[in-house]
Amino acid sequence: MNHLPPPAEELRLLDAELRQLDARRAQLLARRAWLVATLQQAPQQPQQAWAQARTQPPPVAWSRPETAAPSVQNVLLVLGGVLLTLAAAVFTLVSWGHMGITGRALVLGAVTLAALAGPALLLKRGLRSTAESVAGLGLALTVLDAYALHEAALAGTDGTGYAAAAATVLAGIWSAYGLLPATAALRLPLPCALVAAQFPLLLWALSADAGSHVISAALLVTAGLDAVVALRVTGASVRICAVVGGYGTGGWGVLGAGWLSVTADGPGAAARAGTLLLLAAAIALGAAWRVPDPGVRHALGLAAASGLLTVGALGGVARFGVPAEWVVPVYLALGVALLAGLRAGRLLPDAVRHGVAWASAVVQALAFVWALPVVVLVVMGPAGWLVRVWSGAPSDARAAVAVEAPWPSDAAAAPVVLLAVAAVLATAVRAELWRPRARLGALGLLWAAALLLPAILAVPYLAGMSVLGVMTAAALYLGRTTTSAARVTALVLALVTAVDLTLVSLASQTATLVVLSVLTALPAAASWRASLAPFTAPAALVHATALASATGAAVDWPPARTALLVLAVPVAAALLAPRLGAQRATVPVEAAGAAAGLLAVGLAVTDPPLLALVLALCGVIAAGTALRPDRRPVGYAATALFVLAAWVRLAAWEVGTPEAYTLPVTVPALLVGALRRRRDPQASSWAAYGPGLAATLVPSLLVAWGDPQWTRPLLLGTAALLVTLLGARHRLQAPLVLGGSVLALVALHELAPYVVQVTGALPRWAPPALAGLLLLALGATYEQRIRDVRRVREVLGRMN
């Protein structure tokens, strides 16, 4: 409480507090003025409102209906129609045997005619919903009539054929009933007729025991008729039913025809299946051509489906004339031919043209997906050499790639597929927005095709690595372009090729050293361009680290000694980072150097003396980096590395004295604290000197309490006394408290036996007396502090 702030600082604090009080006072006065004005404008409104609320009865809460009347009506009509239909079905199927043939016909005929005639009368009275319900009942009764006719008079006929004929007759009757002038306003008969029309062709094909081709043809013809209805009829309900029926029957027909094409065992069967697919393609194309403008999405999808079906039909036939590994290129050629036909057909609508283009794109994408596993094998296959390092050079490039996985039998066609898709991307895409992206994709596909060629051709091992090296250099050269997307693409290709080349070279010791040397030099040479340095400079350092490790292994050095070679990479990173032209490259280069330093430390862990040397050298590198104005915080890392190096060296010498470990920490920490206090006199002594002093005093105190000798306590007490005197001389709290505490504890440890003896010799009243004196001293000190606080309060009051 004796440490008051300086007068200038105290005056600033008082001025700030007064400003806050003035602002709050102004705010409260403004609010008070607004409340007074509000009360003066309407003094009687609250009283009147309260009196009115007490005299008037509470309002009545009316319940809100949860369902609209038309909804209730429709639910009732639907339930009534369903119940009547169920009753008629039960009557027909269960209770039929209690009546003769004449009675059956009269009952069902009379009920059916009444149900079909009723909607006309209901429509005249304006009961449209009821008329729809009764019409639905009448249509259901016609189905029951057909069933009853079969059971009563035509039980010997084939059930599937009779069902086909019945579906045809019912479709015709329902269509005629829906087109009559008296019932034309009904919405139910025509959609029901269209639903019934979906089954005759399929049921006739099934009744005739026709093959799969005829069944698929029946489904496709039905889908074609649905498409005609959907394009010609204007009624929304009929059109929706036609669209759903067309997609449903057409989808099943296409699936059947596609399965027949895939499983065909000869050109004849494939031709028959292809004919069905071409029929489906023609139906889809005709529908896409005639779809009105609002249905452009339907037209686009139908045109795309037509193109895919055409490719599937022709490819299914052509695949029998080529070897098995060239089947996918055949389909790809047909997909590319769609684009050529599209350019010739200028009269096609835009939606159809775009749909066919999408079909071609889908075929090319599927072909690329087919070739992708071969590319993955060539890129990732050499990783198998990681467990067979320097086991011997393989015979050719294919053996160098297929280390653990078998080589695909159809891999020879993969480069052809990649080159074809690349050519289409480079030439066919004309849009300004997509053209640059398409060309970058073509570049990637060309790179993938070139990457596959050495393994497919089974060129010699050295020739295959030479091709990869040339591709890496070419990709780095292409990275000089000014377009950012193209530059990133080229650098990614260069990186992937370099990794592949590195993995392939692991088979031979000489090849590994040569390849790593080349891959270190190429990115390093490209790093002098500011646009490439953020990518190529770290890559060069990574390959240099691998080269140093491989060199140490080649000369049979132990890992700890190899760590000294690896340290050359952090040195190069520290020297090159501030000198690169691109400022963005500084952090990646330093990160690569730091990673190499960590690798060196990991390699030297098994040899403590060399580990201490490696840590010290890392500290030197970090200290050199900290000399740069923008890297001052690295000095803390340098200090930590030096301390770790000293600790490891001491541990290697089997030094057990704790001061030998703590003093290397205390001395730099105190120097840093002194520099901080010089630059910032307001800095706390705890932050400046506390960590450094505690690093030595606390461990030494713990050891001294268990040390039976007198040397350590004497030296520690002397040091604590000096620290205490320095803290008192410069009025620093941290040295004073830490030094005094340690000194007192050391003295207590040394005097403890004598204290025990003296305590036994003292009379029993002495300890209570000493405790009382201590309490009196504390009370007096506490009273003095209270008096000082009151004086400060009085001073502040006079200032106000």
Side-chain angles (χ1 to χ4, degrees), residues 778-797:
L778 292 175
T781 304
Y782 186 70
E783 183 180 5
Q784 183 181 359
R785 296 294 183 268
I786 293 176
R787 185 182 59 189
D788 293 340
V789 170
R790 289 175 178 173
R791 288 179 179 177
V792 171
R793 186 173 60 187
E794 292 175 359
V795 170
L796 294 177

Side-chain angles (χ1 to χ4, degrees), residues 154-584:
L154 302 174
T157 60
D158 178 51
T160 307
Y162 178 80
T168 305
V169 173
L170 289 176
I173 293 175
W174 292 349
S175 299
Y177 180 72
L179 296 175
L180 291 176
T183 57
L186 295 175
R187 298 179 180 178
L188 194 59
L190 291 180
C192 291
L194 188 59
V195 172
Q198 306 299 312
F199 300 100
L201 293 179
L202 176 61
L203 293 176
W204 273 328
L206 293 175
S207 64
D209 292 332
S212 301
H213 293 81
V214 177
I215 294 175
S216 298
L219 290 172
L220 292 176
V221 171
T222 303
L225 296 176
D226 289 332
V228 173
V229 173
L231 294 173
R232 294 296 181 90
V233 177
T234 59
S237 58
V238 178
R239 177 176 293 180
I240 292 174
C241 290
V243 171
V244 173
Y247 280 123
T249 56
W252 283 109
V254 167
L255 288 177
W259 177 255
L260 293 173
S261 177
V262 171
T263 59
D265 54 357
R272 291 194 297 272
T275 303
L276 294 176
L277 292 176
L278 289 177
L279 173 62
I283 294 172
L285 182 61
W289 200 321
R290 298 296 182 182
V291 168
D293 292 338
V296 64
R297 293 184 178 180
H298 289 279
L300 185 65
L302 291 170
S306 176
L308 293 175
L309 292 173
T310 302
V311 172
L314 299 180
V317 178
R319 65 188 176 91
F320 288 97
V322 296
E325 61 269 17
W326 293 98
V327 171
V328 173
V330 167
Y331 281 100
L332 177 60
L334 294 173
V336 174
L338 288 178
L339 294 177
L342 188 63
R343 291 175 178 270
R346 298 291 183 180
L347 298 178
L348 294 175
D350 291 339
V352 175
R353 295 168 58 84
H354 292 162
V356 174
W358 276 108
S360 178
V362 170
V363 174
Q364 297 176 55
L366 293 175
F368 170 74
V369 171
W370 173 83
L372 190 59
V374 184
V375 179
V376 174
L377 175 61
V378 172
V379 174
M380 302 301 298
W385 293 110
L386 292 174
V387 296
R388 303 180 183 182
V389 177
W390 297 350
S391 59
S395 58
D396 52 29
R398 182 179 298 178
V401 168
V403 182
E404 301 289 343
W407 183 253
S409 59
D410 54 354
V416 177
V417 170
L418 296 175
L419 291 174
V421 177
V424 173
L425 287 176
T427 58
V429 179
R430 300 298 181 88
E432 294 295 333
L433 178 62
W434 291 97
R435 185 183 303 173
R437 304 176 186 178
R439 291 182 177 178
L440 291 179
L443 176 63
L445 293 174
L446 289 175
W447 168 83
L451 194 66
L452 298 180
L453 287 178
I456 291 176
L457 300 178
V459 300
Y461 175 63
L462 295 179
M465 288 195 300
S466 300
V467 172
L468 293 177
V470 171
M471 291 176 61
T472 304
L476 289 175
Y477 180 80
L478 292 176
R480 301 174 59 185
T481 181
T482 57
T483 306
S484 59
R487 180 168 59 251
V488 172
T489 302
L491 291 174
V492 170
L493 297 180
L495 177 61
V496 176
T497 311
V499 172
D500 191 26
L501 178 57
T502 303
L503 294 176
V504 170
S505 68
L506 294 178
S508 172
Q509 175 178 320
T510 304
T512 301
L513 297 176
V514 173
V515 166
L516 290 177
S517 301
V518 172
L519 292 180
T520 302
L522 285 177
S527 298
W528 296 110
R529 295 186 64 88
S531 59
L532 299 180
F535 305 94
T536 55
L541 293 176
V542 170
H543 288 100
T545 304
L547 177 61
S549 302
T551 303
V555 297
D556 293 331
W557 280 6
R561 186 179 298 180
T562 305
L564 298 176
L565 286 178
V566 176
L567 281 179
V569 178
V571 173
L575 295 175
L576 292 176
R579 291 174 175 80
L580 292 174
Q583 190 175 5
R584 295 182 302 161

